[in-house]
Amino acid sequence: MNDYGISLKRQEHIAIITFERPAKQNALDQHMFDSLDKVVVELKGNLPRVIVLTGAGDKAFCAGFDVNPENPLLKPLSTAMERHDKGPAYDLIHRISAPGKALEEALSLALSITQNGPRSVRHALYVIRKTGDLTTQEALELETEAAATLIASGESIHGISAFLTRQKPEFPEPGES
């Protein structure tokens, strides 16, 4: 039995996923991927507004894929990489923190995101993901369409009301009235 994997903790509307393999700088192998699959299934059953990814230990968040020759995933990955000249690149870094402060700062940012309505967060992410391949005009049209959808949903009323009364907004979850 493996004594490492991926853990999931929740704090209100925030899910914290921790890669728990510090002896290997949290490198991913088959067991880690299996653990991640279980966490994803659990998250799909109760979606958070924000997910924070962190790594156990103080040497690395995640060293990436475990390139140990014993790793059975190495051969298919190597074959797949040979078929493609380049793969997709993802910009996942939002900010760099002082040593030992990354999780604290990530949770602070996550908490600020949860103060927004769930539809607003979902629409903002949708627009961000789509605008990379659009012209400026197309991006503005998409953003306008998303804003109109949010206004029509009524969610913006909760935020405006909270702002006017200087209270923490309480947004209903999608599907609630």
Side-chain angles (χ1 to χ4, degrees):
M1 178 167 177
N2 295 308
D3 61 348
Y4 62 92
I6 296 179
S7 65
L8 172 64
K9 293 180 185 170
R10 293 179 179 265
Q11 293 180 5
E12 297 184 25
H13 296 291
I14 302 168
I16 304 167
I17 298 173
T18 305
F19 295 159
E20 302 271 0
R21 195 178 182 206
K24 295 286 187 176
Q25 296 183 348
N26 303 312
L28 301 169
D29 66 356
Q30 183 64 57
H31 178 70
M32 294 286 282
F33 281 112
D34 292 344
S35 295
L36 186 58
D37 284 343
K38 291 175 186 171
V39 167
V40 168
V41 167
E42 187 174 335
L43 287 173
K44 284 182 178 179
N46 184 10
L47 290 174
R49 291 190 192 164
V50 178
I51 298 173
V52 173
L53 297 174
T54 188
D58 59 0
K59 291 188 178 182
F61 155 66
C62 177
F65 193 77
D66 187 348
V67 293
N68 180 337
E70 306 282 321
N71 187 346
L73 295 174
L74 193 56
K75 180 63 177 158
L77 177 66
S78 159
T79 303
M81 290 174 64
E82 289 170 5
R83 288 189 197 142
H84 302 283
D85 292 331
K86 60 182 179 179
Y90 296 101
D91 180 10
L92 298 175
I93 298 174
H94 183 269
R95 66 178 64 155
I96 296 175
S97 303
K101 297 290 185 184
L103 182 58
E104 178 184 329
E105 290 185 24
L107 288 173
S108 175
L109 177 61
L111 183 60
S112 70
I113 292 170
T114 66
Q115 302 304 305
N116 298 296
R119 286 184 184 97
S120 298
V121 172
R122 191 168 42 251
H123 278 72
L125 288 172
Y126 174 78
V127 169
I128 289 167
R129 290 177 182 133
K130 291 289 186 181
T131 56
D133 297 328
L134 302 178
T135 66
T136 301
Q137 184 61 39
E138 291 169 332
L140 290 172
E141 289 171 7
L142 180 64
E143 187 172 350
T144 301
E145 182 181 315
T149 301
L150 285 170
I151 291 168
S153 78
E155 185 175 270
S156 59
I157 293 171
H158 297 285
I160 292 168
S161 175
F163 174 77
L164 293 175
T165 61
R166 304 295 193 261
Q167 296 176 359
K168 178 182 171 187
E170 291 295 329
F171 295 100
E173 293 298 320
E176 295 178 3
S177 297

